[in-house]
Amino acid sequence: ALLGVLTSIIALYYYLVVLKVAYVDRAEGEDVPLKTSGGFKTALTITVAGMIFFGIFATPLYTLSTLAAQTVR
């Protein structure tokens, strides 16, 4: 039982260090904005627009797809 407690404490310390590095420590050049291409911005805009469209019109699209699936049978 003591070995299990010790290994759990070591694992907890390891994962807390990983979380500290990921969320607390600052990286070099962190304040420098990312350079993005026009294609990336276009793809991001299309993706966001699709998410908003399918989020707003989810019920009508679901109903339409259900009716289409029933006609295939």
Side-chain angles (χ1 to χ4, degrees):
L2 181 62
L3 182 63
V5 171
L6 288 176
T7 57
S8 294
I9 291 172
I10 292 170
L12 179 65
Y13 172 76
Y14 171 77
Y15 287 115
L16 287 176
V17 169
V18 170
L19 288 174
K20 178 186 165 289
V21 169
Y23 293 108
V24 177
D25 294 347
R26 296 181 65 88
E28 293 180 20
E30 186 176 344
D31 297 330
V32 178
L34 295 174
K35 295 179 182 177
T36 57
S37 66
F40 177 78
K41 291 178 184 177
T42 302
L44 186 61
T45 302
I46 291 170
T47 302
V48 169
M51 288 175 59
I52 291 171
F53 176 78
F54 286 116
I56 292 173
F57 299 110
T59 303
L61 291 171
Y62 177 76
T63 304
L64 182 64
S65 64
T66 304
L67 289 174
Q70 288 174 352
T71 60
V72 172
R73 290 184 189 184

